Amino acid sequence: MDEDTEQLNRVFAALADPTRRKLVARLADADATVGELAEPYDMSLQAISKHVKVLEDAGLVTRSRDAQRRPVHLDAEVFSLMTKWIERYRRKAEERYQRLDTLLSRMTDTDHTSRKKDAS
């Protein structure tokens, strides 16, 4: 398995959890510490820290040191990788639907032509 595929697996696995998706949504607005991320949850700091670690291992977030704070940053680059993967399959599905539309259109045109001949 190549590196991009492994990272995509980690990213999608990390985002499978609703709490982690909410943390990503929160971090899309602004950087935050683990304590700030934990505020709206009835969860320990340790539990939130574990969620952040999963996001970090997936490459979705990074942590830095800012004096006494350790803010968590959302890494938007990973979303580009996800978007490329999703877009590839979206295009394939769209091409398949376009072929189906073409086939149905031909069938409808053929049916109309047959009916006109029968009516004559």
Side-chain angles (χ1 to χ4, degrees):
M1 214 181 298
D2 71 358
E3 191 174 318
D4 283 350
T5 301
E6 288 181 23
Q7 184 172 20
L8 272 173
N9 289 343
R10 287 191 305 270
V11 168
F12 284 122
L15 293 175
D17 182 89
T19 299
R20 289 193 285 267
R21 286 194 305 273
K22 288 177 186 173
L23 293 176
V24 167
R26 164 63 176 83
L27 291 169
D29 292 335
D31 295 350
T33 64
V34 171
E36 291 166 343
L37 291 171
E39 286 173 3
Y41 299 98
D42 187 24
M43 214 180 277
S44 68
L45 281 177
Q46 184 179 12
I48 293 294
S49 188
K50 285 182 180 181
H51 282 296
V52 170
K53 179 70 172 135
V54 171
L55 294 171
E56 191 173 21
D57 290 345
L60 285 161
V61 301
T62 57
R63 295 188 215 197
S64 63
R65 190 173 293 281
D66 178 20
Q68 297 298 320
R69 295 181 76 231
R70 293 208 53 209
V72 180
H73 310 277
L74 185 63
D75 186 356
E77 246 182 72
V78 175
F79 290 102
S80 295
L81 179 65
M82 293 171 58
T83 301
K84 282 195 301 190
W85 184 86
I86 290 167
E87 183 60 23
R88 180 176 61 211
Y89 292 104
R90 187 199 62 76
R91 276 194 315 266
K92 285 183 178 187
E94 192 167 295
E95 288 168 7
R96 196 173 69 234
Y97 287 124
Q98 286 174 352
R99 287 192 308 266
L100 179 60
D101 284 344
T102 301
L103 177 64
L104 292 172
S105 178
R106 286 182 192 155
M107 290 173 68
T108 303
D109 290 346
T110 303
D111 188 42
H112 283 13
T113 303
S114 295
R115 287 185 183 170
K116 284 181 184 177
K117 285 181 183 178
D118 291 344
S120 303

